Amino acid sequence: MPFPVSYDPDAVDSAAHLIQVALTPVFMLSGIGTLINVFNTRLARVADHLEDVRKKLAAPPSATDTPDPFYTPERLAAHELRLHRRIFVLDAAIMLNAIGGASTCGAAMALFVGSLRDASTSTWLLAFFGIALACTVGALFFFLADTLLSWHGLRRDGLSLSSPKKN
């Protein structure tokens, strides 16, 4: 005995499309949340490193210790400036991602309001989603800037990520 349900291909396609469109902001918010977590973790590490550098700069030189050529006041001051720049670009990345997340929520709201009122909210939907994408791309560019500042600092200080050479 067949199941007594009428099969309307247009209704199924319409429902599938609505589900696809409704899930897009959810995945976008999930990705943005993950990026914000990564940026915040990196910002915390840079802030801790800055605090360590400030402590070394504030500590008076000891007469009994041999001076370390890596921790000269000039090098530490240059490193402190580089860390401030990294904090600035990470803050900008977090702010852009937060705006992207808010815009994604706005896009989801426009989608919801448009489906309730049968109103044309496509302009708002596209604007919010476009802002979300642009802000997320901008945040990734700021993250790239932080990465480049970090690599530049390692190279400038004469450090390498490769394994140390054996004598």
Side-chain angles (χ1 to χ4, degrees):
M1 184 160 154
F3 195 63
V5 173
S6 66
Y7 177 71
D8 183 11
D10 290 336
V12 172
D13 288 343
S14 177
H17 179 69
L18 181 63
I19 290 170
Q20 287 174 337
V21 171
L23 287 178
T24 301
V26 172
F27 289 122
M28 181 84 168
L29 277 175
S30 176
I32 287 173
T34 302
L35 284 174
I36 288 176
N37 188 23
V38 168
F39 298 160
N40 273 326
T41 301
R42 190 154 173 146
L43 180 62
R45 292 181 56 91
V46 172
D48 289 344
H49 195 108
L50 178 63
E51 184 179 340
D52 186 47
V53 168
R54 284 184 174 163
K55 284 179 184 176
K56 288 177 182 173
L57 277 171
S62 174
T64 59
D65 293 338
T66 58
D68 188 354
F70 185 71
Y71 294 118
T72 64
E74 295 81 20
R75 286 184 99 171
L76 287 173
H79 192 60
E80 181 182 25
L81 179 63
R82 207 168 32 252
L83 290 173
H84 278 290
R85 288 179 184 150
R86 289 184 64 194
I87 287 173
F88 174 78
V89 297
L90 285 169
D91 281 341
I94 291 168
M95 288 301 296
L96 279 175
N97 246 350
I99 292 169
S103 296
T104 303
C105 290
M109 183 60 83
L111 183 68
F112 179 69
V113 168
S115 68
L116 281 181
R117 295 182 44 205
D118 290 330
S120 176
T121 58
S122 61
T123 304
W124 285 103
L125 180 65
L126 289 175
F128 280 132
F129 203 70
I131 290 169
L133 288 175
C135 287
T136 302
V137 168
L140 289 171
F141 275 116
F142 276 111
F143 183 67
L144 176 64
D146 173 60
T147 304
L148 292 174
L149 281 170
S150 175
W151 289 342
H152 176 73
L154 287 173
R155 244 188 22 238
R156 185 178 181 129
D157 291 339
L159 299 176
S160 161
L161 295 178
S162 62
S163 61
K165 295 180 183 177
K166 296 180 181 179
N167 292 336

